[in-house]
Amino acid sequence: MHQFPPSDALQFFVGDAIAQVRLDPFSLQFSFEGMRRLVVEHRIEHADPDGTIWAYDCQATERAPVVLQRLLNLRIVAIEREELRLTFRFGNGSTLAVMSELGPYESGHIYAPEIGFTVF
């Protein structure tokens, strides 16, 4: 639906950590220690420190397994943004990339006290 906000507008995620992950039929929901929330309705790629990629498509009929519990309580050390990709980098070398797509439907949303509610 939309591109992600500029990376400088999302730097409040640096230093925060994922406290909870919820898996729904058509979304992944991430709650952060800092009272922020990320809902993904499109795709993610989670990379372990060794480079193993765990891709997950929220809309696919057959879904791959996830090991997102490995990201719990890890501090975010950097956030990078491309037009349709938002990447969280963690202190242990893991990454979580959230994908968006342009089209008539939303790919997810971010809620943070700093920016309110943002749809991507």
Side-chain angles (χ1 to χ4, degrees):
M1 174 177 231
H2 298 288
Q3 298 177 10
F4 292 101
S7 63
D8 61 338
L10 298 172
Q11 292 305 306
F12 52 78
F13 278 111
V14 174
D16 207 347
I18 297 171
Q20 185 179 48
V21 178
R22 290 186 295 273
L23 181 64
D24 287 334
F26 301 105
S27 72
L28 289 168
Q29 300 175 30
F30 299 88
S31 295
F32 294 81
E33 290 177 358
M35 305 306 293
R36 298 168 183 100
R37 187 169 157 161
L38 170 67
V39 176
V40 179
E41 297 173 351
H42 184 45
R43 291 186 315 110
I44 64 157
E45 288 180 358
H46 163 212
D48 280 333
D50 69 3
T52 303
I53 303 287
W54 302 88
Y56 187 83
D57 184 338
C58 296
Q59 304 302 315
T61 305
E62 298 280 331
R63 295 182 185 112
V66 293
V67 292
L68 295 168
Q69 74 277 6
R70 295 178 183 170
L71 299 176
L72 293 175
N73 302 316
L74 296 178
R75 294 284 161 218
I76 297 166
V77 296
I79 187 161
E80 300 166 0
R81 178 226 183 251
E82 297 172 31
E83 287 185 16
L84 300 174
R85 182 183 184 103
L86 183 65
T87 303
F88 296 86
R89 296 198 175 279
F90 296 87
N92 73 341
S94 294
T95 61
L96 174 65
V98 178
M99 314 309 178
S100 182
E101 65 179 347
L102 299 178
Y105 303 108
E106 68 182 58
S107 296
H109 64 266
I110 297 168
Y111 172 77
E114 297 86 351
I115 60 170
F117 189 81
T118 302
V119 176
F120 59 87

